[in-house]
Amino acid sequence: MSSLPIVPIAPPASTVPLPPQDATDRSPRFPSARHARRVLCLLPLLLIGVWAADNWRVLHDGARQLTTADPGWLAIGGAFTLLCWISAAFARQGAIPERLPPGLLLASQFAAGAANNVLPAGLGAHAVTLRFLTGRGIPLARATASLALYSLVKPVAKLLVILVLLATFPTSLGATDLLPDGGTLLPIGVGVAAAVAAVTLLLTLVRPLRRPLLDGLRTALTDARRLHTRPARVLALWGGAAGFSLCQAAVLASVGASLGLPIAWPDVLFAYLAASAAVGAVPAPAGIGPVDAALVFTLAALGAPLSLAAATVVGFRVLTVWLPLLPGALVLSVLVRNKVL
């Protein structure tokens, strides 16, 4: 009798031994990432607390000065502060070809304002915006190019606003004596020429930096040309940049009006624009310090009592920096927690 072939029967699926799980599947990087994200959520609040503890005297004096101010004008100043973030969001959208979600973009700029008050030279705002753009799928090179375009347009737009003010109020502006003369412009020109020469020398001698920098410059020029062929982007970029400077100046004028500052609005607007343009490049968080000193000096030179000029600048900082500081830090933490940043 012939024997039948024996066919192996597979065991039930439940009894099939599973391959050993790769140890890398349970890599400690996942809990580490969660812990890092929690730290990033709390870091803005910690930095704000340290900053507030270091500047508690200024906070106290500013709050005391505002108790005597006209609440109606302070409310107008608060409205202009809100318009500052809206203007910044418009300018950021104008600096990138892709359409960004408006709500998240505005929230990111509100959070960027809090980060900008902690890190100098606008690094905080740029870091938040860069993370927001890359999180929307924009390549790093193009996101960096948009930051460079935004940083270039802001001072140029501020200069154009100053020129428009001088042309609109040629006789009423008493601040024309505050404009820099040839002796002041010469060191600025020398500094700009030295910076250009240093960058050129760096590109010539350090070859590893040459290609990424040139690629970034090429990307920036390409995006700038594309954006300036689209009227909506041009209006958002230049209008937002000019509107941001004007709204900041309007906050200062509103606080001055609430305290009875004896200076006309065009003069106060010009004082802010001139002072911030003159010392705004000093690497201080949100320009706090050098810009404040320049504002007090400028307002006093226009005829305001020194104590009232100082109170106006303190009130300006309360509305634009200190009051939005904690809410901005909370929004920043929420965006980090929800992986928007």
Side-chain angles (χ1 to χ4, degrees):
M1 184 176 63
S2 62
S3 61
L4 297 174
I6 300 175
V7 179
I9 301 175
S14 59
T15 62
V16 175
L18 297 175
Q21 187 176 7
D22 190 358
T24 59
D25 291 342
R26 294 184 178 180
S27 173
R29 71 178 181 270
F30 294 106
S32 299
R34 287 195 296 269
H35 292 323
R37 186 167 293 278
R38 290 171 184 168
V39 171
L40 288 176
C41 292
L42 296 176
L43 184 60
L45 302 179
L46 177 62
L47 292 175
I48 295 306
V50 172
W51 186 90
D54 187 55
N55 294 272
W56 70 271
R57 175 66 65 182
V58 180
L59 289 170
H60 177 268
D61 293 342
R64 186 179 62 182
Q65 289 285 350
L66 288 180
T67 57
T68 62
D70 184 354
W73 279 111
L74 290 181
I76 294 175
F80 278 117
T81 302
L82 177 60
L83 289 177
C84 289
W85 298 314
I86 296 176
S87 299
F90 269 102
R92 296 288 189 183
Q93 175 62 88
I96 200 78
E98 289 83 358
R99 180 173 176 80
L100 302 172
L104 289 179
L105 177 58
L106 181 59
S108 72
Q109 293 312 292
F110 185 54
N116 196 46
N117 295 326
V118 177
L119 298 178
L123 294 178
H126 287 328
V128 171
T129 303
L130 182 65
R131 187 66 187 91
F132 173 74
L133 293 178
T134 54
R136 307 279 72 74
I138 297 172
L140 180 60
R142 298 190 57 234
T144 306
S146 75
L147 297 184
L149 179 61
Y150 174 85
S151 301
L152 177 63
V153 166
K154 273 190 69 177
V156 175
K158 183 179 294 184
L159 178 60
L160 293 177
V161 172
I162 291 175
L163 295 177
V164 169
L165 278 177
L166 290 175
T168 306
F169 305 98
T171 57
S172 63
L173 277 179
T176 52
D177 293 337
L178 299 174
L179 290 174
D181 53 11
T184 306
L185 292 177
L186 180 60
I188 296 176
V190 172
V192 172
V196 173
V199 172
T200 304
L201 187 63
L202 188 66
L203 290 177
T204 304
L205 298 180
V206 185
R207 292 190 174 184
L209 293 178
R210 187 183 308 169
R211 182 177 182 83
L213 288 178
L214 291 179
D215 289 344
L217 179 61
R218 190 178 301 110
T219 301
L221 292 176
T222 301
D223 282 356
R225 285 196 298 267
R226 287 180 56 194
L227 289 168
H228 283 83
T229 60
R230 303 169 63 178
R233 289 293 187 268
V234 173
L235 181 61
L237 176 61
W238 289 93
F244 179 84
S245 298
L246 275 175
C247 288
Q248 288 261 302
V251 175
L252 181 68
S254 300
V255 175
S258 72
L259 295 172
L261 190 71
I263 302 177
W265 266 59
D267 287 328
V268 178
L269 297 180
F270 181 87
Y272 172 80
L273 294 170
S276 60
V279 297
V282 177
I288 298 175
V291 173
D292 293 349
L295 280 175
V296 172
F297 167 78
T298 306
L299 293 175
L302 292 174
L306 186 60
S307 59
L308 188 55
T312 300
V313 174
V314 170
F316 167 75
R317 287 303 182 189
V318 168
L319 286 183
T320 58
V321 176
W322 298 326
L323 286 182
L325 204 55
L326 182 58
L330 291 174
V331 171
L332 179 60
S333 299
V334 170
L335 293 179
V336 171
R337 186 176 184 82
N338 293 335
K339 300 181 181 180
V340 176
L341 300 178

